[in-house]
Amino acid sequence: MTSGLGGFAPKYQQIAEALRHDIQEGRYEPGARLPAETALAERFKVSLPTIRQAVGVLRSQGIVESKHGIGTFVRQDHRLERRSRNRYGRARGDQKLLTSHLRHDIVFAGPEQAPARIAEAMGISEGAEVITRRRVLYDKETNTPEEIGASYIPVGIAGGTFLEKRDVVPKALFLCVEDLSGKRYHHARDQWIARSATPEEIVTLGLPQGGHVMHVIHTARAEDDTVLEVSESIWPADRVTIIDEYLIDQEANVPDVPSQI
C-alpha cells in the first residue's frame, strides 16, 4: 500500500488516501461501485472496521456515497456554474434562461426579525423587521436540492405586498422590487464565505457529515445607495464552480484604504 501520508498516519487514513488516488487516476470512475468491504479488507490486509473507517473518511469528504443495501459508489461530479456578475443584465434579457432547470420551493414568506449578518449588510439594528422570502432550489430532472436561499427586503418596500405570500413571483424578484420601490438596482457587493455546513444544511442539501458549503451574501443598492435587497445563497461546495469575468483596469487605481485578504 502506498500513500502520500507516510507510514506514521493511521492505517485507515492511508487506505483512504490510496482509494482517493485510485479514484483520481480513473481506476474507479464517477458512478462506479467500490469493491465490497471484504474485498478491500483482503487487498489491504486489514480488518473490516478499518475499511469502514477509511470509507467513512471518503464519505465525509464527499468523494463517495453509500446506498443502503446496495454498496458504496464514487460520487458523480455535477457542478453548476455560478456567474454572479452581470446576473441582472442576463435576467432582464431572458427570464427562462435563468430558471429553466431549477424548481423553486418557497418555504417561507413574510415579516421576521433580521439576523445579525443581514442587519449589518442592510445597515439596520439587529432584530429589526424585514420581509423575508426563503427558498430551496431543486434540479428539475433529478429533484436534487441545489441551493438554499433567502431574500431580505425592507418593510418600506415589500411590507403588505404580494412578496409576503409564498407564491413564486411572476418575474425575477429584483424586477418586482424595482416596481415596488420605483428605484433601479445600481450597484452591489458580494461577500463570499467558505464554511462547514450546519446540521440543517446537511439535511436539506443531502451533504455528508463534515460537508462544506459556499455562502454568499449579496447586498444590492439603488443609485442613491438605498439598500433594495440583501440575499444569501448557500451551495454545496463540491457541486459549484464560481466564475467571474470582468474588465481589467487600464489605469492605476489606488484604493482609499488598505486592502484586506
Side-chain angles (χ1 to χ4, degrees), residues 34-232:
L34 292 185
E37 292 178 349
T38 51
L40 291 174
E42 182 177 350
R43 171 187 169 185
F44 292 107
K45 309 301 181 186
V46 296
S47 65
L48 287 177
T50 300
I51 291 297
R52 289 168 186 150
Q53 278 186 291
V55 173
V57 170
L58 298 181
R59 190 184 302 113
S60 69
Q61 294 172 344
I63 297 173
V64 302
E65 57 184 346
S66 296
K67 300 180 181 179
H68 184 69
I70 301 177
T72 299
F73 298 80
V74 179
R75 288 190 61 183
Q76 304 269 6
D77 189 6
H78 295 305
R79 289 182 179 263
L80 295 179
E81 291 188 357
R82 304 289 184 173
R83 300 173 182 262
S84 59
R85 195 178 295 259
N86 299 324
R87 71 175 73 175
Y88 297 111
R90 296 197 308 275
R92 293 185 197 281
D94 190 346
Q95 285 288 300
K96 295 180 179 180
L97 179 65
L98 298 181
T99 60
S100 59
H101 70 290
L102 295 175
R103 173 174 62 84
H104 292 63
D105 185 1
I106 308 299
V107 297
F108 174 83
E112 69 172 12
Q113 294 182 332
R117 64 186 181 280
I118 302 304
E120 180 181 3
M122 298 185 81
I124 61 177
S125 300
E126 181 180 349
E129 190 173 88
V130 293
I131 303 303
T132 303
R133 293 179 61 83
R134 299 188 183 279
R135 61 193 177 273
V136 179
L137 275 62
Y138 297 84
D139 184 290
K140 286 183 178 178
E141 293 186 2
T142 65
N143 206 37
T144 302
E146 298 290 357
E147 176 185 329
I148 298 172
S151 292
Y152 306 87
I153 307 158
V155 173
I157 296 175
T161 73
F162 64 94
L163 294 184
E164 291 191 13
K165 299 180 180 179
R166 287 179 54 183
D167 301 329
V168 175
V169 293
K171 53 186 175 181
L173 180 62
F174 83 92
L175 294 174
C176 298
V177 174
E178 287 186 341
D179 290 344
L180 293 170
S181 67
K183 297 183 178 183
R184 193 174 177 89
Y185 282 52
H186 183 267
H187 55 282
R189 176 180 185 268
D190 286 347
Q191 178 184 4
W192 295 90
I193 305 164
R195 59 172 174 79
S196 298
T198 66
E200 294 79 9
E201 290 162 355
I202 287 173
V203 172
T204 300
L205 294 172
L207 303 177
Q209 292 297 321
H212 292 78
V213 295
M214 288 299 302
H215 183 173
V216 59
I217 299 176
H218 176 79
T219 305
R221 298 176 180 268
E223 189 171 7
D224 63 3
D225 217 34
T226 300
V227 174
L228 297 178
E229 176 195 357
V230 174
S231 65
E232 57 183 349

